[in-house]
Amino acid sequence: MFKSSQLPTVSWVLLAGILLVATWLGTQMMPPAQTFHDESFHMPQIRAYHMERYSHLEKSLTMIPGYHLAVATVSKTLFGQGIKDTRLASTLLSLPALLFFFLCARRLGHTSALLSTTTYYLNPIFFPFFFVIYTDVPSLTLVLAGLYFTLSQRFTLAGLVMLLSLGVRQTNVMWLALFWLFALYNLLGNPLHMRWLKPENWRQLGWALLRTWAFPIGIVAFLVFVYQNGGVAIGDATAHKMDRVFVTQVFFLLLAVGLLFIPLHLMNARVAFDLLRFHPQCAVIISLLLVLYLITFWAEHGYNLFDFFLRNRIVMWTRANEVHKVLAFIPMAIALLSLMVTPLREKRFYWLYVVAIASLLPHSLVDQRYFMEAITMFLLFMVPQHSRLHWYTLALFIPVTLIICIGIGDIRFFL
């Protein structure tokens, strides 16, 4: 197995070529003179900033308009104020996600950080969002930067970057909390151990809290915002209520993992089968999850009723009848078993699963964009059990992503 610095030159050239060609094709994907779905919600706020109307706030925006201010500044300074110019500015704020993913992959000891980054970039549910006026990937850029600084033990910078990320998407507070937990693990071992309740350990605990002060500042800022705003979403609040628990989004994440990472599941098949054979309680757990899934399935959000979106077509097919629901559960169960036998690089990283679930439960809208961060971190934290896993995954991603981009470019559908 090659180490990152020992990857053959031909592989480096191939991957660099794939990255460059994919980026050029991505910039050509969208119709240049018209906004596309959620872009129509973001563009008026960006235009207001183009005209230096900084007090203006669109009622349709759910997030703090930090993204819109950054995109307006970059587009006006470097490109122009048109739709294509604005997309280029958004792309310019999105592409650093690749740099921070690469740096995280190197920090975590990936066999080839470049290969891992290329696989991440060409993920079919990620790639199109690099080239549209959406907040998702610029927000992910900040989250990955926060993760990198956390892994590098630059905790103050990490906390401040994550505080900044709240100005793009308020829900990043979940990842801020996770990175604070990672930092405390780094300083204290297990920060949740009962020994920290003993007075003789309070000095060390206080020292760790002092070193990571920027993280709780971000959490306090979020709580103050929610109190002052009367909720998490700024605008369109009725469509983004977080007053109930929606398990369907968690199962949709499992469905996405089941369909996206087929090479991983095939390589895990024997170990997963042994897990079921030697630990029959796993079959009981999966059966109980099937019952929970069937009982709690809810996909009646108004935004899930438009069949132009691929995610909505899947949701509408699934909810058509009980047979479809059971059939959709098959890749979910496969994904769950595969995740159970896929080791992560450090024990503290298993908290990703807890935080990922917690971040999804409040969302009534079934949408793959809500778990982009979770899948990104899984790609970073997992330990591949086969040296060619990323190559096989990339071979799957390239044609699927190409087909999706062609469909988007022809305005046949969107994700």
Side-chain angles (χ1 to χ4, degrees):
M1 190 183 295
F2 291 106
K3 293 185 177 180
S4 182
S5 60
Q6 297 173 331
L7 193 68
T9 302
V10 65
S11 297
W12 276 87
V13 173
L14 175 62
L15 292 172
I18 291 173
L19 286 170
L20 291 172
V21 171
T23 301
W24 180 82
L25 290 174
T27 60
Q28 308 302 309
M29 175 181 64
M30 302 300 296
Q34 66 184 78
T35 55
F36 200 73
H37 291 282
D38 280 18
E39 289 185 324
S40 62
F41 295 111
H42 298 301
M43 198 61 196
Q45 184 67 45
I46 294 170
R47 286 199 175 108
Y49 288 146
H50 280 155
M51 295 183 287
E52 300 183 5
R53 294 167 52 203
Y54 297 112
S55 62
H56 177 78
L57 183 63
E58 286 289 317
K59 294 181 179 179
S60 59
L61 286 185
T62 61
M63 67 286 295
I64 299 170
Y67 161 81
H68 308 80
L69 179 60
V71 168
T73 302
V74 172
S75 63
K76 188 175 182 179
T77 303
L78 298 181
F79 305 117
Q81 301 179 28
I83 294 172
K84 187 173 182 180
D85 302 319
T86 306
R87 285 200 187 108
L88 284 174
S90 187
T91 298
L92 198 63
L93 295 175
S94 298
L95 289 177
L98 302 181
L99 171 62
F100 285 111
F101 187 97
F102 177 86
L103 292 173
C104 288
R106 273 209 316 191
R107 171 70 62 174
L108 291 168
H110 281 224
T111 301
S112 169
L114 181 61
L115 176 57
S116 298
T117 304
T118 308
T119 305
Y120 156 71
Y121 186 36
L122 292 178
N123 188 312
I125 67 171
F126 291 174
F127 182 78
F129 291 101
F130 278 85
F131 305 99
V132 291
I133 307 170
Y134 277 56
T135 63
D136 303 275
V137 182
S139 170
L140 190 52
T141 295
L142 293 172
V143 171
L144 283 169
L147 175 60
Y148 173 69
F149 294 130
T150 301
L151 295 174
S152 304
Q153 300 186 41
R154 298 162 71 179
F155 301 132
T156 298
L157 186 54
L160 293 176
V161 168
M162 291 307 298
L163 174 61
L164 181 64
S165 78
L166 299 181
V168 177
R169 295 190 77 154
Q170 298 92 295
T171 51
N172 284 339
V173 69
M174 300 299 294
W175 310 114
L176 186 157
L178 179 64
F179 298 164
W180 187 22
L181 185 61
F182 285 172
L184 292 176
Y185 262 94
N186 191 275
L187 297 173
L188 300 173
N190 182 359
L192 304 178
H193 196 278
M194 296 296 291
R195 70 176 180 270
W196 300 113
L197 297 178
K198 297 179 180 180
E200 59 266 28
N201 295 323
W202 288 355
R203 185 173 182 177
Q204 186 180 357
L205 178 61
W207 168 79
L209 294 175
L210 188 62
R211 276 208 62 190
T212 60
W213 65 269
F215 291 106
I217 290 294
I219 293 174
V220 170
F222 170 78
L223 294 175
V224 170
F225 165 80
V226 171
Y227 176 77
Q228 293 289 338
N229 186 58
V232 176
I234 292 181
D236 198 18
T238 55
H240 295 85
K241 290 182 178 179
M242 293 189 174
D243 55 353
R244 290 171 51 195
V245 170
F246 299 91
V247 186
T248 302
Q249 182 75 350
V250 179
F251 286 107
F252 191 63
L253 167 59
L254 286 175
L255 178 61
V257 172
L259 298 177
L260 282 173
F261 299 107
I262 293 174
L264 173 67
H265 308 326
L266 291 175
M267 292 177 181
N268 284 339
R270 179 177 296 178
V271 183
F273 178 76
D274 288 342
L275 181 68
L276 282 176
R277 185 172 61 168
F278 296 115
H279 300 277
Q281 63 269 29
C282 292
V284 175
I285 292 172
I286 290 175
S287 299
L288 292 174
L289 286 174
L290 172 60
V291 174
L292 177 66
Y293 159 70
L294 293 174
I295 292 174
T296 62
F297 186 88
W298 191 90
E300 305 299 326
H301 194 288
Y303 293 168
N304 282 133
L305 303 180
F306 303 105
D307 63 0
F308 183 77
F309 294 90
L310 290 182
R311 65 172 183 271
N312 289 349
R313 295 182 191 181
I314 295 172
V315 168
M316 294 166 74
W317 179 88
T318 302
R319 75 180 182 188
N321 55 61
E322 297 304 308
V323 174
H324 287 188
K325 290 178 185 175
V326 173
L327 290 175
F329 187 76
I330 294 173
M332 298 178 195
I334 291 172
L336 180 60
L337 285 170
S338 189
L339 291 175
M340 290 172 69
V341 300
T342 300
L344 302 186
R345 295 176 185 273
E346 299 180 25
K347 287 184 178 180
R348 58 177 172 163
F349 293 158
Y350 285 93
W351 280 102
L352 168 66
Y353 297 139
V354 177
V355 175
I357 292 172
S359 71
L360 294 177
L361 289 177
H363 292 289
S364 58
L365 174 62
V366 179
D367 192 329
Q368 78 285 345
R369 290 181 296 156
Y370 293 138
F371 49 71
M372 287 174 68
E373 292 87 355
I375 290 182
T376 297
M377 279 181 259
F378 172 72
L379 289 171
L380 285 168
F381 296 164
M382 65 173 287
V383 180
Q385 299 301 291
H386 193 288
S387 60
R388 295 189 178 274
L389 174 61
H390 284 303
W391 286 110
Y392 295 147
T393 306
L394 188 59
L396 171 65
F397 281 179
I398 288 175
V400 174
T401 299
L402 181 61
I403 291 170
I404 287 176
C405 288
I406 291 173
I408 292 173
D410 291 341
I411 318 183
R412 298 176 191 172
F413 53 73
F414 194 61
L415 292 174

